[in-house]
Amino acid sequence: MSKAADQALTPTEAAPPPQDLQPPFDTLPRIGEFRGHTLVWLLDQHKSPAVREALMAFWSSHGAIADAASAWRRTFEVGVVALDPRGQIAGVTSVYIDHLAFDGQPYWFFRTFVRPRSRLIGMMPAMFQGTFARLALDYAGEPGAPVGIAAVTENPKLDTPAGNRIYHRIGLRLLGTNPRGLRVWRRLFADASP
């Protein structure tokens, strides 16, 4: 695993000591800190009804996922949850497995949503690095497993020179555009090896 991936599993920013997490997130593995936010890992952890309810309420209250059935399904794809100093959800990453038409290989397709008041510079990269590092640690190299992370730029605010620089800093490389004209990026687990 690369140095950047290793760093995602340790504190990513100088921050006050982690607060005691409140239910329903108190039993989840902590994978990092970012500016007073605690990053916890949810993928493949037990997702209690209380965790699913909290995630669905988070998306609904911010207009991210309006359909309750879609939000419930997405709760099973959540990787990183960023909790603010009060223990409230500030952002989440989610991943699902699909194949890229560019090379026919399976990838973890990455999505993220951070509530507007928590969109701190560096928050999304910290959440991406935590997700990448944990997926690489848990699954990289297994026969048939995804070979990396892919991201499709669906948010026009990220399809800018500044957004492109962020993608490059977190190790994503542009492959091209998909049939809908959206940019497709990837980062291979093999590229992160020392």
Side-chain angles (χ1 to χ4, degrees), residues 3 7 22 26 28 38 45 47 69 84 92 94 102 114 119 125 127 153 188:
K3 182 178 177 184
Q7 290 173 348
Q22 301 298 314
D26 56 331
L28 297 175
T38 301
Q45 303 296 313
K47 294 171 188 72
D84 70 15
V92 298
S94 61
F102 291 94
V114 178
R119 292 179 182 162
M127 293 172 65
T153 310
L188 297 170

Side-chain angles (χ1 to χ4, degrees), residues 3-4 22 29 31 72 92 95 127 134 142-143 146 155 175:
K3 182 178 177 184
Q22 301 298 314
I31 63 167
W72 185 85
V92 298
V95 292
M127 293 172 65
R134 189 61 192 248
E142 284 186 22
N155 183 344
L175 292 177

Side-chain angles (χ1 to χ4, degrees), residues 25 28 38-42 55 78-83 89-93 127:
F25 298 102
L28 297 175
T38 301
L39 305 180
V40 297
W41 184 246
L42 187 57
L55 290 166
V78 172
V80 168
V81 178
L83 302 167
I89 299 173
V92 298
T93 69
M127 293 172 65

Side-chain angles (χ1 to χ4, degrees), residues 4-190:
D6 287 340
Q7 290 173 348
L9 297 175
T10 60
T12 55
E13 285 278 324
Q19 70 277 5
D20 289 326
L21 298 180
Q22 301 298 314
F25 298 102
D26 56 331
T27 61
L28 297 175
R30 295 178 192 206
I31 63 167
E33 293 285 319
F34 180 79
R35 294 188 183 175
H37 292 72
T38 301
L39 305 180
V40 297
W41 184 246
L42 187 57
L43 192 69
D44 294 334
Q45 303 296 313
H46 172 70
K47 294 171 188 72
S48 68
V51 166
R52 289 192 299 275
E53 185 177 316
L55 290 166
M56 291 171 60
F58 168 72
W59 284 317
S60 177
S61 68
H62 297 289
I65 305 175
D67 177 62
S70 295
W72 185 85
R73 179 191 52 75
R74 181 82 61 91
T75 65
F76 294 93
E77 300 173 349
V78 172
V80 168
V81 178
L83 302 167
D84 70 15
R86 296 181 311 145
Q88 305 273 323
I89 299 173
V92 298
T93 69
S94 61
V95 292
Y96 63 95
I97 298 171
D98 202 351
H99 288 78
L100 269 179
F102 291 94
D103 64 8
Q105 294 292 316
Y107 288 84
W108 293 100
F109 278 72
F110 176 84
R111 296 174 292 211
T112 188
F113 178 77
V114 178
R115 69 183 180 198
R117 72 177 183 265
S118 296
R119 292 179 182 162
L120 307 169
I121 293 173
M123 175 69 87
M124 188 281 285
M127 293 172 65
F128 175 87
Q129 295 290 22
T131 302
F132 182 87
R134 189 61 192 248
L135 290 172
L137 181 68
D138 291 350
Y139 302 105
E142 284 186 22
V147 297
I149 286 185
V152 178
T153 310
E154 294 181 4
N155 183 344
K157 292 178 184 176
L158 295 175
D159 198 8
T160 63
N164 292 340
R165 284 191 296 276
I166 290 169
Y167 282 136
H168 283 285
R169 275 198 299 269
I170 60 177
L172 288 165
R173 297 297 173 246
L174 181 63
L175 292 177
T177 57
N178 67 13
R180 294 176 33 212
L182 301 174
R183 289 180 180 219
V184 179
W185 303 78
R186 78 167 177 196
R187 181 174 176 193
L188 297 170
F189 294 134

